Amino acid sequence: MDISLKNYINGMWVTSHSCELLDVVNPATGGIIANVPSGSADDVKEAAGLAHQAWRSWRNTPATKRIQYLFRMKQILEENANEIAEICTTECGKTLSESKAEIIRAVENIEVACGIPKLLQSDYSEDISEGIDEYCVRQPLGVGACISPFNFPIMIPFWFMPYAIACGNTFIVKPSEKVPMTMTRIFELFEALNLPAGVLNMVHGGKAAVDAILENPLIPSISFVGSSSVARYIYRTGVEHGKRIQAQGGAKNPVVIMPDADIETTVKIVADSAFGCAGQRCLAASIVITVGNAGELFPKLIVEAAKNRKTGNGLDPAIEMGPVITTASRERIEKIIKNGEDEGASILLDGRYLKVKGFEGGNFIGPTILSNINPESELFNTEIFGPVVTIINCDTLDEAIEIINKSRYGNSACIFTRSGAAARKFRHDVLAGNIGINIGIAAPMAFFPFSGWKESFFGDLHGQSMHAIEFYTQTKVVIERWHDEWSRKF
Ligand code: NAD
């Protein structure tokens, strides 16, 4: 199939200045399904220039009018959910129901952003001194840009974009070059919004496009989601260029299972958390720390729950787990497992080298579970981003918390227990931004910030919620004096 994707700039589909094209590959078949430009600084320059021009009138459009476009945006996503989900599954590999769940999350963010006329309301103090009033207004920054990862092609740009434009910014989306088709289709559908040209733009590409965004003086704010090493680079380079940056990074999420946990329910929730989206989720359970005698039953039960998980092409509704994104990613995961095995880890369930009939070119790995892990090993400390769970056992909750807090990551941590005191201690002492208590995926709703600590986040204000509104606006404090006698002249 020959589909060469175009950028969307100033209300038009335009061919990239970049001559190099990258293949977009269906991870379930290995087939090439499109080509995407590798990106160029000229594309970004053009998009930023025209988005900046559009911003001059968009910032003066009343917020009540700006959000009318968002109401329609929500409707378009909902009306076209099946088609969008199918494209997402085809290029990203996740199951259809996982793709549809992304759309729900995207819509929830649009709904929160629809409250912006109220959420932008300012503080006002009368008579701070006799006849003098003071107030604070929030104004948009200009052109915002988001750079997104491959694993949530639909949802992640919506952590940022609806808030940015509702606050009066114009915006550039830079999808992952591995999964550029879904956002391209969403932009085609969004043409029906009749947004003023330049308010919403999309530039494709990889590092070249990202570097041009980082250096462009007309883009004052950047929202990034991806791996920690790139997040750190984005933060450092963006700040050097005087930009406001929020950069969400990688994760290695621990789950603690206390001896009093409801073990049956816990096993089911942990299996869904670890193997949903083939483990390619920044909130996926990756390390299980069993405390005391939870270590006797849990490993056997999770193997039972995982071993029959149907792995295959996510377009088939019977499939419970799709492939990982690329062949390189599959090989990397297999290598980490092998290294762990060489260091003495026991493999309780081995999903490596899985071949799915009819999809021999796919990047499949079945659920994999390991125990007897050395806490210093690569297996224990590296973000694997695949359907792999490592189990270790310890004697006390204190020990479990100590292990968790040594991690370089701090995206999420979950505990399963019936004890309020244990849960309270856990949520209070653990160094992570999202805590789950008897919850496997501690994903915040759109009206809460999508938090993240340590190397899982670089910046101050997170995506979603009031954080997004603060990120995309700057405050202006006005102090004014009106002499009473002036009113008597009329
Ligand atoms: P990635 O870091 O490889 O890519 C993310 C984006 O950065 C892409 O748009 C890519 O084009 C760009 N990029 C890649 N390398 C770059 C470089 N050297 N210089 C400049 N730009 C570059 O991440 P990925 O593999 O697409 O996504 C998976 C990662 O994202 C995982 O680490 C996962 O934990 C993380 N993630 C985090 C969250 C969160 O909320 N914290 C959510 C989803 C995914």
Side-chain angles (χ1 to χ4, degrees), residues 33-95:
I33 47 178
N35 296 117
V36 65
S38 65
S40 98
D42 286 340
D43 295 345
V44 172
K45 194 173 165 199
E46 203 171 303
L50 292 163
H52 184 75
Q53 258 178 39
W55 174 62
R56 292 187 185 167
S57 52
W58 184 246
R59 76 189 285 274
N60 297 328
T61 305
T64 47
K65 197 166 167 204
R66 292 196 297 251
I67 63 162
Q68 298 312 313
Y69 295 99
L70 297 193
F71 287 117
R72 182 78 187 108
M73 198 179 261
K74 162 183 158 74
Q75 220 179 345
I76 289 175
L77 288 184
E78 287 171 341
E79 284 167 4
N80 296 280
N82 287 339
E83 186 199 348
I84 296 168
E86 210 164 292
I87 299 171
C88 178
T89 292
T90 306
E91 67 174 355
C92 185
K94 57 179 65 178
T95 65

Side-chain angles (χ1 to χ4, degrees), residues 112 124 137 158 197 202 254 275 341 366 407 434 471:
V112 173
Y124 194 107
V137 292
F158 286 88
M202 179 176 51
F275 306 124
E341 196 182 10
S407 170
N434 301 289
F471 184 78

Side-chain angles (χ1 to χ4, degrees), residues 148-151 174 177 224-227 248-250 282 383 385 450:
S148 43
F150 80 82
N151 64 329
K174 204 297 284 170
E177 64 278 29
F224 171 86
V225 182
S227 55
Q248 305 202 193
C282 68
E383 180 181 34
F385 227 49
F450 199 105

Side-chain angles (χ1 to χ4, degrees), residues 154-471:
I154 307 168
M155 173 185 77
I156 285 180
F158 286 88
W159 285 353
F160 312 110
M161 179 262 278
Y163 302 96
I165 64 171
C167 287
N169 302 271
T170 52
F171 207 71
I172 302 172
V173 176
K174 204 297 284 170
S176 162
E177 64 278 29
K178 291 178 189 142
V179 292
M181 296 172 73
T182 310
M183 201 40 70
T184 300
R185 182 62 189 138
I186 289 174
F187 266 67
E188 281 170 4
L189 293 165
F190 281 179
E191 284 191 281
L193 293 171
N194 288 321
L195 265 166
V199 170
L200 206 47
N201 307 274
M202 179 176 51
V203 173
H204 287 296
K207 184 166 168 52
V210 173
D211 285 344
I213 290 171
L214 285 167
E215 287 163 18
N216 192 296
L218 294 179
I219 304 177
S221 68
I222 301 176
S223 307
F224 171 86
V225 182
S227 55
S228 288
S229 57
V230 183
R232 184 192 290 277
Y233 168 73
I234 300 284
Y235 183 73
R236 200 184 54 223
T237 318
V239 167
E240 263 169 28
H241 284 85
K243 295 177 194 301
R244 195 176 276 196
I245 305 287
Q246 47 183 196
Q248 305 202 193
K252 180 92 181 166
N253 304 302
V255 169
V256 172
I257 302 178
M258 297 298 287
D260 66 347
D262 171 348
I263 199 75
E264 243 99 83
T265 320
T266 302
V267 165
K268 190 185 169 316
I269 296 174
V270 173
D272 287 344
S273 170
F275 306 124
C277 295
Q280 300 171 115
R281 219 165 15 187
C282 68
L283 296 176
S286 170
I287 299 170
V288 172
I289 308 173
T290 50
V291 176
N293 62 15
E296 287 161 28
L297 204 50
F298 178 82
K300 291 183 206 121
L301 293 181
I302 188 108
V303 168
E304 283 307 307
K307 72 179 184 200
N308 295 323
R309 216 168 180 87
K310 278 201 197 114
T311 305
N313 185 347
L315 286 177
D316 175 349
I319 288 301
E320 295 167 297
M321 193 170 89
V324 296
I325 189 72
T326 57
T327 307
S329 174
R330 175 178 56 73
E331 287 171 355
R332 175 185 161 274
I333 296 166
E334 287 167 352
K335 187 160 176 279
I336 296 174
I337 299 169
K338 169 85 174 59
N339 292 346
E341 196 182 10
D342 291 346
E343 285 181 26
S346 316
I347 303 199
L348 307 183
L349 184 65
D350 192 351
R352 287 175 294 175
Y353 319 118
L354 178 71
K355 286 286 168 211
V356 174
K357 199 157 176 278
F359 298 97
E360 286 75 12
N363 307 313
F364 297 102
I365 305 186
T368 300
I369 300 171
L370 299 105
S371 66
N372 290 331
I373 314 295
N374 170 4
E376 304 303 320
S377 65
E378 178 193 30
L379 190 60
F380 193 75
N381 292 295
T382 308
E383 180 181 34
I384 299 176
F385 227 49
V388 181
V389 171
T390 50
I391 305 175
I392 62 169
N393 189 253
C394 63
D395 294 330
T396 63
L397 177 59
D398 283 333
E399 242 181 273
I401 293 174
E402 205 183 312
I403 293 169
I404 294 171
N405 287 348
K406 275 189 193 153
S407 170
R408 53 191 275 243
Y409 298 109
N411 215 35
S412 92
C414 301
I415 185 168
F416 288 81
T417 181
R418 286 185 168 100
S419 157
R424 201 258 170 205
K425 181 177 177 51
F426 185 83
R427 74 158 167 77
H428 186 264
D429 290 357
V430 161
L431 304 177
N434 301 289
I435 300 291
I437 298 172
N438 298 318
I439 297 283
I441 306 271
M445 292 294 287
F447 36 92
F448 286 95
F450 199 105
S451 201
W453 286 18
K454 300 202 264 182
E455 291 186 34
S456 296
F457 182 72
F458 298 86
D460 302 293
L461 295 164
H462 298 85
Q464 303 195 146
S465 76
M466 280 308 290
H467 277 226
I469 295 162
E470 284 182 37
F471 184 78

